[in-house]
Amino acid sequence: MKSRTYRTYTALETQQLAKKLALLLRPNDVLTLTGDLGAGKTTFTKGIGIGLGVKRTINSPTFTIVKSYHGEMPLYHIDAYRLEETAEDIGFDDYFNGDGLSVVEWPQYVEDYLPEERLDITIKSEGDNERVLVFEPKGAFFEYVCEELAR
């Protein structure tokens, strides 16, 4: 499956890319976001929320693990960082097979629970505001999404 690479130069551009992506997604879709602290994972998720019409402020769910937001479809923002030392299942199937879009930060800590079909996104910081985002589609639908996003 062919990966796609994008470069953004401001937080706003990162959000605009995510917003454009959100318009191509559907309920039950899962996105994973990998990147160092401060790479822009939550900024990207804010753009997804904007695309879905979420009105509430989106921030990192670090201490609650999952935050739910309501827009045109529910957005489940999952931060798996605190699950590093445990194999705890917090009901991932309910989110991944529910009626909303799931965005998972630190997916390496919940790899066993992730669906096979998903869009893996790696975000790398290059300077204060510049970001390199690599989209790796897993499955035919996400290949289609990446093709449409590139247009």
Side-chain angles (χ1 to χ4, degrees), residues 95-109:
Y95 295 106
F96 299 159
N97 297 311
D99 59 350
L101 170 67
S102 297
V103 176
V104 183
E105 295 187 23
W106 304 99
Q108 64 270 31
Y109 299 130

Side-chain angles (χ1 to χ4, degrees), residues 31-72:
L31 308 179
T32 68
L33 301 179
T34 301
D36 293 334
L37 288 171
K41 296 180 299 292
T42 300
T43 297
F44 191 86
T45 304
K46 288 178 183 182
I48 293 286
I50 292 167
L52 296 179
V54 171
K55 301 296 183 211
R56 272 184 42 213
T57 300
I58 293 175
N59 50 34
S60 180
T62 301
F63 296 105
T64 57
I65 300 175
V66 179
K67 285 192 176 179
S68 297
Y69 300 93
H70 299 284
E72 293 176 25

Side-chain angles (χ1 to χ4, degrees), residues 5-19 39-41 43-44 121-135 149:
T5 301
Y6 298 89
R7 186 175 295 272
T8 61
Y9 298 94
T10 66
L12 181 59
E13 283 183 12
T14 300
Q15 286 182 354
Q16 288 172 336
L17 176 63
K19 176 184 175 183
K41 296 180 299 292
T43 297
F44 191 86
I121 301 170
T122 302
I123 305 174
K124 294 179 183 170
S125 175
E126 292 193 355
D128 290 338
N129 296 306
E130 189 173 341
R131 300 292 182 265
V132 175
L133 300 97
V134 179
F135 288 54
L149 187 62

